[in-house]
Amino acid sequence: MPAPITEANLLTIIGLHLQDAQGYGMTGRDAIQVNRENALAYYLGNKNGREAPGKSSVVSTDVADAIEWMMPAIMKELTSNNDVVRFDPTGADDEAQAELESDFVYEILMKDNEGFVAIHEFVKDALMQKNGIIKAYYAKKKKIVKEDYTGIVDEQLQVLLSDPAVELVSHTPYVVEGITFHDVRVNRTEMTGKINVSSVAPEKFCISANHNSIFIDEAPFYAHIEPRTLSSLVEEGYDKDMVYAIGAECSASDDDDQVSAYRFIMQGEEYMPDQNDFDYGASQKEITVAECYLWLDIDGDGISERVKVTVAGSSNPTAVLGIEEIDGCPFVSTTAILMSHKFFGLSIFDRLWQIQDHKTALWRNTMDNIYLQNNQRMKVLEGQVNLDDLLVSRPGGIVRVKSQAALEPIVTPPIGDAAYRMLDYLDMTRAGRVGVDANGDVKLDNIGDRVGSEGIRDVMNAKQELVNLIIRVVAETGMKPLCYLIRDLAVKHMDAVYDFRFKENWVKVDPKSWNRRLRSTVRVGLGSGDKTTLMAAAQQILTLQEKALANPQQAMVAPKQIYNALEFAAKQMGVPGISRFFMSPDSEEGKAKQKEVSENSSKQEEQQRLLAMANFKVQQALADAEQSKANAMMQKNQLQAEIDDQKLRFAALKEQSINQIKELQQALDSKNKSDELEFKYHQNDTSVALKLTEIEAKTSTDQDANFDANEELVEDSSESSTEELPNE
């Protein structure tokens, strides 16, 4: 069985790996570091060393322009809401839990850490210097807090000193009126743990030169190297005596100390190379520390384990600070343009440095041409011109000559139009390479239906897709592994139960109880559509939901689906959450509101039912009243017909009586009858008159009685229908 590795052998192995690794700034100043320095110089628009005395030294800034045009779009997609990476549920009953974990992880990234700054540096390093590196790890720190207590009694002092985390520093007892009081100073040692997320400067990270993937975890070797103070190492839990002993023998080397110097020097800032030139105290002394991750058989069982070895020094380590077996990689890398089967990708600098050089040369030539046209070269007849006058160029200046032909300008042909066309061509080439240009903010809606608009739309969409592809690469290779890493750290190290606001409700979160997750969905970048398209889609979804709700038989749209559509629309508008505007149906407040709405709806339905019954009764009463009125009218018409018939019979009887009277009168006149005949005449006349009077009186009485009865019947029907109407 192989013997365990000794410390000397371990230092030799680490040193060889560090010397062969690629990317660390001052390890032989490899090609990657040279590329990073050139990228920063081009980004800053620094002079390229090809300037000539007396000539234009203007520098184009295409690399910086492209990066700064991309950064807002990328950062908006990655940080404007918590929907970048979502863990996929494993079953129907796991959907809420998957959403909870997604939100909780994003909260750790953005709120427990300086998430925006870390992601900004991460992305900008990828765009400018090939690869961005971000580190997520759980760290416990020992923090010593000094506390002073005055005037405490014996019992309080005993309770204070019984705490194992408290160390007595000074103690002053005194007696007042027979009671002993104490003034004490103590050191309280606190151990704090936290998931930390921070961006790593690319020049402080190195990886095996033969590693062939953007993902770091399977690399044979990688390391994070930076100067550290002795105090910070002790805070992280390393043995104090060992740390200070190592610090007495070594310090940060000049090469290691200059790793990040170029960032300051290129921006014209003074760089303070080494604090060790002045004695700030032993605790603030810096040594170079390398956290190295590799596969080693540290226990001699013949099987390699993934281990983290922390050493003092970089390419030539001198001491081992610690060694531990690990179960994961704390680093995540991303790049702007993936290169197949390679760790280092291409940056925007790699794509544009030639364009920037060409534009710089064109700008300088154009400016020199303008200068020469304003200050032309002159042909001078020797001895015929005062050279002092000629050497001083000023508006309205006089040049003294001895003859008319002593001075003649040398004509400089203008190159402006050709240069401007070439500059436009280079701008188009730049847009084709990285997808952004000065007209990148033109809105498709402003193009309209003008001639050629379809071609313009195609070009603009193609440029947008280039940027979307970069966003998707960063999300897939950077943000997605980072979220998994944070989640794993939470499961392994967060022991407490946390109160967390999830979808407007406060819930208890216990990361220790989470199951393993293997799948997630990235919702930004290529394939997800631009904001305009997504916003239009959200509006269309809401419209379709409205149409579905109009059908009482539909079973596709509920309050939950409407809330989801509103939340989706809000995210496309840049609003991270809609809880200020809409209540989630799943929240306690939303459930209470739904219950209230349901109760109110039931009350309204009951009121509608009662009102419908009352209306039915009213309509029934009105119908009965109309029927009674119709019956009364029919009876009235029948009585009127009988009255008219009696009137006709009365008229006929009256006419018959008149005829009889006339006949009797004629008989009286013609025959001159006796008094007896005259008596009969008068008797008959009286009898007829009485009969007519009786008939008329009877007819009038019957007619009035029938009419009054009919009117009472109609009035009774109307009153009964009115009494049935409900109160409003």
Side-chain angles (χ1 to χ4, degrees):
M1 179 179 291
I5 298 175
T6 64
E7 181 173 339
N9 289 338
L10 183 59
L11 289 173
T12 301
I13 293 170
I14 296 295
L16 291 173
H17 274 299
L18 286 169
Q19 291 170 18
D20 294 337
Q22 202 173 20
Y24 181 53
M26 298 305 296
T27 307
R29 201 167 176 274
D30 60 17
I32 298 297
Q33 180 61 19
V34 172
N35 179 279
R36 293 184 187 128
E37 294 177 8
N38 290 336
L40 182 59
Y42 273 69
Y43 176 86
L44 296 172
N46 291 345
K47 294 180 180 181
N48 55 20
R50 295 190 289 271
E51 294 78 17
K55 300 290 186 179
S56 173
S57 60
V58 65
V59 178
S60 180
T61 56
D62 296 83
V63 171
D65 294 342
I67 291 174
E68 293 308 315
W69 284 332
M70 287 182 178
M71 283 298 295
I74 298 175
M75 291 302 296
K76 184 177 181 180
E77 290 286 352
L78 299 183
T79 63
S80 62
N81 56 64
N82 61 347
D83 215 28
V84 179
V85 178
R86 309 298 290 176
F87 296 122
D88 293 340
T90 58
D93 57 348
D94 188 46
E95 291 187 3
Q97 179 64 25
E99 287 190 53
L100 170 64
E101 293 178 19
S102 301
D103 290 352
F104 189 75
V105 166
Y106 192 82
E107 186 104 345
I108 293 174
L109 171 61
M110 299 304 294
K111 295 186 178 180
D112 292 353
N113 294 273
E114 297 294 339
F116 180 88
V117 175
I119 294 173
H120 189 281
E121 293 176 346
F122 182 52
V123 172
K124 197 161 191 175
D125 287 340
L127 295 181
M128 188 192 309
Q129 298 182 314
K130 288 187 176 294
N131 285 53
I133 309 293
I134 202 165
K135 183 179 183 181
Y137 59 99
Y138 182 84
K140 284 188 175 182
K141 284 189 177 182
K142 182 168 66 175
K143 184 178 180 181
I144 298 177
V145 180
K146 297 185 181 297
E147 298 177 349
D148 291 324
Y149 297 87
T150 59
I152 61 175
V153 297
D154 294 341
E155 292 80 2
Q156 293 172 324
L157 178 62
Q158 290 176 2
V159 172
L160 178 64
L161 297 181
S162 64
D163 188 343
V166 173
E167 177 187 2
L168 181 63
V169 176
S170 64
H171 176 209
T172 304
Y174 55 94
V175 178
V176 177
E177 297 180 356
I179 301 176
T180 302
F181 294 93
H182 307 269
D183 292 346
V184 296
R185 169 171 287 189
V186 299
N187 287 343
R188 185 183 297 275
T189 302
E190 296 179 353
M191 293 298 294
T192 59
K194 176 177 176 288
I195 295 176
N196 297 280
V197 180
S198 59
S199 176
V200 177
E203 65 272 10
K204 294 183 179 180
F205 181 85
C206 64
I207 193 168
S208 298
N210 61 348
H211 183 52
N212 60 357
S213 171
I214 186 64
F215 300 108
I216 302 174
D217 56 346
E218 293 301 324
F221 175 84
Y222 49 93
H224 178 203
I225 310 166
E226 64 178 350
R228 306 281 292 280
T229 65
L230 302 183
S231 174
S232 66
L233 292 172
V234 173
E235 261 193 333
E236 290 183 14
Y238 292 104
D239 182 75
K240 176 182 176 181
D241 294 336
M242 178 187 67
V243 167
Y244 276 79
I246 293 174
E249 296 177 359
C250 62
S251 61
S253 67
D254 292 338
D255 285 347
D256 295 325
D257 201 45
Q258 292 291 331
V259 168
S260 296
Y262 76 98
R263 295 186 179 274
F264 298 87
I265 295 171
M266 286 186 180
Q267 298 181 60
E269 300 174 11
E270 184 178 357
Y271 180 70
M272 300 298 294
D274 191 355
Q275 292 186 4
N276 296 314
D277 292 341
F278 182 81
D279 186 9
Y280 289 93
S283 65
Q284 291 302 303
K285 184 177 181 179
E286 286 187 345
I287 62 174
T288 300
V289 175
E291 291 181 1
C292 304
Y293 301 80
L294 67 161
W295 294 87
L296 280 178
D297 180 14
I298 59 174
D299 54 8
D301 63 354
I303 301 175
S304 295
E305 296 85 26
R306 179 158 38 187
V307 296
K308 170 188 172 184
V309 182
T310 305
V311 298
S314 55
S315 57
N316 186 24
T318 58
V320 176
L321 290 170
I323 180 170
E324 60 179 306
E325 187 175 348
I326 60 173
D327 57 358
C329 171
F331 297 97
V332 172
S333 178
T334 192
T335 186
I337 301 171
L338 283 170
M339 296 298 292
S340 300
H341 315 298
K342 283 181 87 282
F343 173 74
F344 290 103
L346 292 181
S347 64
I348 301 303
F349 160 76
D350 293 329
R351 297 288 290 155
L352 292 185
W353 69 267
Q354 290 179 317
I355 299 293
Q356 182 161 321
D357 278 350
H358 293 328
K359 287 188 66 176
T360 296
L362 280 171
W363 276 22
R364 290 179 177 180
N365 287 329
T366 303
M367 297 302 293
D368 289 339
N369 183 257
I370 294 172
Y371 296 154
L372 284 173
Q373 291 184 54
N374 290 336
N375 297 274
Q376 299 183 12
R377 299 178 66 193
M378 306 297 290
K379 290 191 296 184
V380 179
L381 187 61
E382 189 174 359
Q384 298 295 309
V385 177
N386 188 315
L387 294 179
D388 291 337
D389 293 343
L390 190 62
L391 292 175
V392 179
S393 176
R394 58 181 181 271
I398 297 174
V399 179
R400 288 169 288 183
V401 298
K402 295 180 179 180
S403 64
Q404 188 71 26
L407 193 65
E408 181 181 349
I410 300 175
V411 178
T412 301
I415 62 170
D417 290 343
Y420 296 147
R421 287 195 296 271
M422 190 62 188
L423 288 171
D424 288 341
Y425 171 76
L426 290 173
D427 284 339
M428 292 173 59
T429 305
R430 177 184 63 189
R433 289 187 179 184
V434 297
V436 295
D437 59 15
N439 299 319
D441 291 334
V442 175
K443 302 297 185 185
L444 290 176
D445 295 339
N446 297 334
I447 297 175
D449 297 323
R450 289 176 286 180
V451 176
S453 62
E454 291 300 323
I456 295 174
R457 288 176 186 270
D458 291 342
V459 171
M460 294 184 67
N461 286 334
K463 291 192 295 184
Q464 182 63 40
E465 289 304 313
L466 283 173
V467 178
N468 282 343
L469 179 58
I470 292 175
I471 294 173
R472 188 56 176 264
V473 168
V474 173
E476 290 281 0
T477 63
M479 297 298 294
K480 182 177 177 180
L482 178 60
C483 289
Y484 273 109
L485 180 53
I486 294 173
R487 183 188 181 279
D488 290 343
L489 290 171
V491 172
K492 295 173 185 175
H493 301 290
M494 298 182 72
D495 299 325
V497 177
Y498 300 87
D499 290 321
F500 180 67
R501 187 170 177 83
F502 174 63
K503 292 187 178 298
E504 302 181 40
N505 293 325
W506 285 99
V507 297
K508 298 291 185 181
V509 176
D510 181 12
K512 285 287 187 183
S513 65
W514 292 353
N515 296 320
R516 191 180 181 191
R517 293 200 180 276
L518 300 175
R519 300 182 64 190
S520 61
T521 301
V522 173
R523 298 187 179 181
V524 296
L526 198 66
S528 60
D530 57 37
K531 291 294 184 183
T532 303
T533 303
L534 292 175
M535 189 61 214
Q539 293 175 345
Q540 185 66 23
I541 290 172
L542 290 169
T543 302
L544 293 174
Q545 286 179 336
E546 183 179 1
K547 291 182 178 180
L549 288 172
N551 180 10
Q553 304 300 322
Q554 68 88 23
M556 298 179 293
V557 181
K560 175 66 174 177
Q561 283 67 44
I562 298 174
Y563 181 83
N564 290 340
L566 292 171
E567 186 176 34
F568 175 70
K571 287 179 179 178
Q572 309 319 312
M573 292 186 287
V575 180
I578 60 171
S579 58
R580 292 174 296 170
F581 314 107
F582 303 97
M583 287 185 294
S584 171
D586 296 333
S587 67
E588 295 299 327
E589 188 178 6
K591 292 177 181 178
K593 186 64 177 178
Q594 285 185 350
K595 182 179 179 181
E596 179 184 349
V597 170
S598 177
E599 291 175 353
N600 290 338
S601 177
S602 299
K603 291 180 181 179
Q604 291 179 357
E605 290 178 357
E606 181 64 19
Q607 290 177 353
Q608 291 291 336
R609 187 183 67 80
L610 295 175
L611 182 61
M613 292 180 61
N615 287 335
F616 175 77
K617 290 181 179 180
V618 169
Q619 294 297 328
Q620 187 66 36
L622 290 175
D624 293 342
E626 289 294 330
Q627 184 64 39
S628 299
K629 184 177 179 181
N631 293 337
M633 186 60 68
M634 183 176 65
Q635 292 178 2
K636 179 180 178 181
N637 292 336
Q638 290 177 351
L639 291 174
Q640 187 65 42
E642 292 178 359
I643 292 171
D644 292 342
D645 183 62
Q646 290 180 0
K647 285 183 177 181
L648 289 174
R649 285 185 292 164
F650 171 74
L653 180 60
K654 183 176 180 180
E655 184 177 359
Q656 182 181 3
S657 299
I658 292 172
N659 291 334
Q660 290 178 356
I661 291 172
K662 287 181 177 180
E663 290 176 355
L664 291 174
Q665 184 67 37
Q666 289 176 358
L668 182 61
D669 291 342
S670 61
K671 296 180 179 179
N672 197 14
K673 290 184 177 181
S674 60
D675 294 339
E676 182 180 0
L677 183 59
E678 185 177 356
F679 174 75
K680 289 182 179 181
Y681 166 76
H682 288 294
Q683 186 179 17
N684 187 42
D685 185 38
T686 302
S687 177
V688 169
L690 291 173
K691 186 65 174 177
L692 288 173
T693 300
E694 182 181 352
I695 291 172
E696 287 181 354
K698 185 178 183 307
T699 300
S700 177
T701 300
D702 292 342
Q703 184 177 3
D704 291 341
N706 290 332
F707 184 79
D708 291 341
N710 189 33
E711 288 294 328
E712 289 177 0
L713 181 60
V714 172
E715 288 177 0
D716 291 341
S717 299
S718 298
E719 289 176 359
S720 63
S721 63
T722 303
E723 290 175 357
E724 295 293 330
L725 290 175
N727 294 326
E728 295 183 358

